[in-house]
């Protein structure tokens, strides 16, 4: 029930921000969520002490990467400055000298893993009818996650990737595909008016597949550091990273699908 309560509280807030507020409001929301998720990643991944400076550099760089379209700075510039800042920390005396390089690599990985991927959600919002497109990718992504969770919990018997995520099942995957495709087809005329129903169904299938990859990749990260959840921020869902793992793969997939395929999204 806690999982359901969290969704009932979060959904109206997210919908209102996307549908009725200016584009920068979504950017603020994504930066906030991405920063919380990135901090969780750092907390479970960094080794040793004295990692506050790296955490700060990573969080600032990721926030700038996500929000760069609203700022007078280019993405390559942000990344170059972030890399140089992280490398400079190698010169700083620290208690965990043996892990400086590993922690620096984790800091940069986090920026790519969360900052770059979430920036495509902001890029999607900047497209014509961008607020509707963002709603589509979120609804389909969450639909796939929800269908997989409940069907897998009730009827899951055949394990999909037991070495990485023991609870994932083929039955759950089927439930995720079914709900994602249904949501995509039902919302096509409202959220994707310039696309056909076939495109919507294809996106339902594609986003389910890429969302599963995102979920499994995060599970592999957690397993490698020996934790079950990235945090406990969201009751019933674990941490923010646990909630966003699928979106980290579906957001860029959706953005490049609708921008590369000719005519799917009208030009400004």
């Amino acid at each position: 029930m806690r999982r359901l309560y969290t969704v009932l509280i979060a959904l109206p807030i997210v919908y209102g921000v996307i549908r009725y507020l200016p584009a920068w409001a979504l950017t603020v929301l994504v930066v906030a969520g991405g920063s919380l998720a990135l901090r969780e990643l750092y907390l479970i991944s960094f080794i040793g002490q004295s990692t506050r400076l790296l955490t700060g550099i990573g969080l600032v760089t990721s926030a700038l990467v996500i929000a760069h379209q609203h700022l007078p700075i280019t993405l390559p510039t942000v990344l170059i400055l972030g890399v140089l800042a992280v490398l400079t920390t190698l010169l700083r005396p620290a208690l965990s000298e043996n892990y400086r390089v590993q922690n620096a690599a984790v800091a940069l990985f986090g920026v790519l893993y969360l900052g770059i991927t979430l920036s495509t959600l902001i890029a999607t919002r900047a497209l014509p009818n961008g607020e509707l497109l963002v709603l589509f990718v979120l609804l389909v992504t969450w639909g796939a996650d929800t269908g997989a969770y409940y069907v897998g919990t009730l009827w899951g018997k055949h394990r999909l990737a037991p070495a990485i995520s023991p609870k994932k099942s083929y039955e759950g995957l089927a439930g995720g595909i079914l709900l994602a495709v249904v949501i995509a087809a039902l919302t096509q005329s409202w959220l994707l008016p310039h696309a056909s129903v076939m495109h919507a169904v294809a996106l339902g299938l594609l986003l389910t597949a890429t969302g599963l990859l995102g979920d499994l990749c995060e599970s592999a990260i957690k397993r490698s550091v020996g934790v079950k959840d990235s945090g406990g921020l969201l009751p019933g869902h674990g941490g923010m990273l646990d909630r966003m793992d699928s979106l980290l793969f579906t957001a860029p997939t959706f953005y490049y699908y609708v921008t590369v395929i000719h005519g799917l999204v009208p030009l400004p």
Side-chain angles (χ1 to χ4, degrees):
M1 289 301 293
R2 291 189 304 167
R3 186 182 182 95
L4 179 60
Y5 291 149
T6 300
V7 172
L8 291 177
I9 293 172
L11 273 180
I13 296 174
V14 173
Y15 177 81
V17 168
I18 296 171
R19 193 71 178 91
Y20 301 113
L21 295 183
W24 60 262
L26 175 63
T27 301
V28 171
L29 184 64
V30 173
V31 167
S35 297
L36 290 171
L38 182 56
R39 183 174 180 274
E40 291 173 352
L41 176 67
Y42 287 160
L43 285 174
I44 65 175
S45 303
F46 279 145
I47 305 173
Q49 306 295 319
S50 299
T51 56
R52 288 185 179 180
L53 181 59
L54 273 177
T55 298
I57 292 173
L59 290 174
V60 170
T61 304
S62 178
L64 291 175
V65 167
I66 294 171
H68 76 274
Q69 295 186 60
H70 299 278
L71 304 172
I73 188 170
T74 64
L75 179 58
T77 301
V78 173
L79 291 175
I80 290 171
L81 292 176
V83 169
L84 294 178
V86 168
L87 292 177
T88 302
T89 65
L90 298 177
L91 306 176
R92 177 174 173 263
L95 296 177
S96 53
E97 288 192 34
N98 294 333
Y99 307 111
R100 288 186 192 179
V101 174
Q102 293 94 319
N103 287 340
V106 168
L108 293 175
F109 166 74
V111 171
L112 298 176
Y113 179 42
L114 281 134
I116 292 292
T117 54
L118 289 177
S119 70
T120 58
L121 201 61
I122 307 306
T124 300
R125 178 64 178 83
L127 295 172
N129 297 316
E131 70 277 11
L132 301 181
L133 299 176
V134 170
L135 285 174
F136 180 88
V137 68
L138 291 180
L139 286 174
V140 174
T141 299
W142 291 340
D145 285 348
T146 301
Y149 175 80
Y150 285 106
V151 172
T153 299
L154 293 173
W155 298 294
K157 293 181 179 180
H158 301 87
R159 298 305 162 196
L160 181 64
I164 299 174
S165 184
K167 293 184 178 181
K168 292 285 186 298
S169 67
Y170 284 100
E171 292 83 359
L173 174 60
I177 291 174
L178 178 61
L179 187 54
V181 168
V182 168
I183 290 175
L186 291 178
T187 61
Q188 174 269 327
S189 61
W190 171 40
L191 301 178
L192 286 177
H194 298 282
S196 66
V197 175
M198 290 304 298
H199 274 305
V201 171
L203 280 167
L205 294 170
L206 184 59
L207 296 183
T208 302
T210 53
L212 174 63
L213 288 176
D215 196 331
L216 290 175
C217 285
E218 196 237 356
S219 294
I221 292 171
K222 291 187 295 184
R223 183 166 288 271
S224 70
V225 296
V227 300
K228 180 181 178 182
D229 294 319
S230 66
L233 180 65
L234 302 173
H237 294 267
M240 184 62 73
L241 183 58
D242 295 318
R243 184 64 276 170
M244 301 181 75
D245 54 3
S246 298
L247 185 62
L248 300 179
F249 277 56
T250 60
T253 299
F254 179 81
Y255 174 75
Y256 288 110
Y257 187 100
V258 300
T259 54
V260 170
I261 295 182
H262 179 69
L264 191 55
V265 173
L267 296 175

